[in-house]
Amino acid sequence: MLVRDAMSKVVLTIGPTHTLRQAAALMSARRVGAAVVLDPDAGGIGILTERDVLDSVGLGQSPDTEYVHAHTTTDVVFATPAWTLDEAAGAMTHGGFRHLIVLDRDEPVGIVSVRDIIRCWTPAQQRVPA
């Protein structure tokens, strides 16, 4: 099975000047655990995850005054739609992260998460409804 078969094609994109509260509200409304950060001034594409927001709040920082750019991961590993799920899982395991931005011709076309991969690897009869 390939990344294109598992990825979410709904990509939440945000800018670097969103506050963490704004980013969290958008992520929550769309029920996603990561947002693609488009920042042409900082070299392109980054990612903000729920963990980044939690780390900031855990440090006592205010989500109303902290900006996305200060918490964005810019050293991102990207997948392509043609990667196998084994390749994606290997990259996540090696890098210690749970989301991969999927690029096609340098454009974000999806995000694949550990949950997406597990869903594809788990036979339908073993799945428990949420």
Side-chain angles (χ1 to χ4, degrees):
M1 188 165 272
L2 302 178
V3 165
R4 76 169 46 93
D5 303 317
M7 71 183 190
S8 170
K9 294 175 178 81
V10 176
V11 180
L12 172 61
T13 58
I14 59 176
T17 59
H18 279 86
T19 65
L20 288 184
R21 181 170 311 278
Q22 290 169 324
L26 291 167
M27 291 165 64
S28 178
R30 288 168 180 77
R31 310 281 302 148
V32 297
V36 173
V37 181
L38 300 179
D39 188 356
D41 295 334
I45 300 172
I47 191 167
L48 179 79
T49 67
E50 57 208 352
R51 181 178 298 155
D52 298 322
V53 176
L54 281 173
D55 287 347
S56 175
V57 171
L59 289 171
Q61 297 172 333
S62 170
D64 294 312
T65 60
E66 286 295 311
Y67 292 96
V68 165
H69 68 81
H71 302 277
T72 299
T73 300
T74 55
D75 183 20
V76 180
V77 175
F78 299 103
T80 71
W83 275 21
T84 66
L85 294 186
D86 286 333
E87 288 174 302
M92 290 177 186
T93 301
H94 180 74
F97 47 82
R98 297 178 298 157
H99 298 88
L100 278 169
I101 299 171
V102 183
L103 294 183
D104 190 11
R105 294 182 181 91
D106 296 327
E107 293 294 323
V109 294
I111 291 185
V112 66
S113 70
V114 170
R115 180 179 292 151
D116 296 326
I117 293 171
I118 291 170
R119 184 177 50 247
C120 290
W121 283 347
T122 304
Q125 63 270 25
Q126 291 181 2
R127 295 184 193 150
V128 177

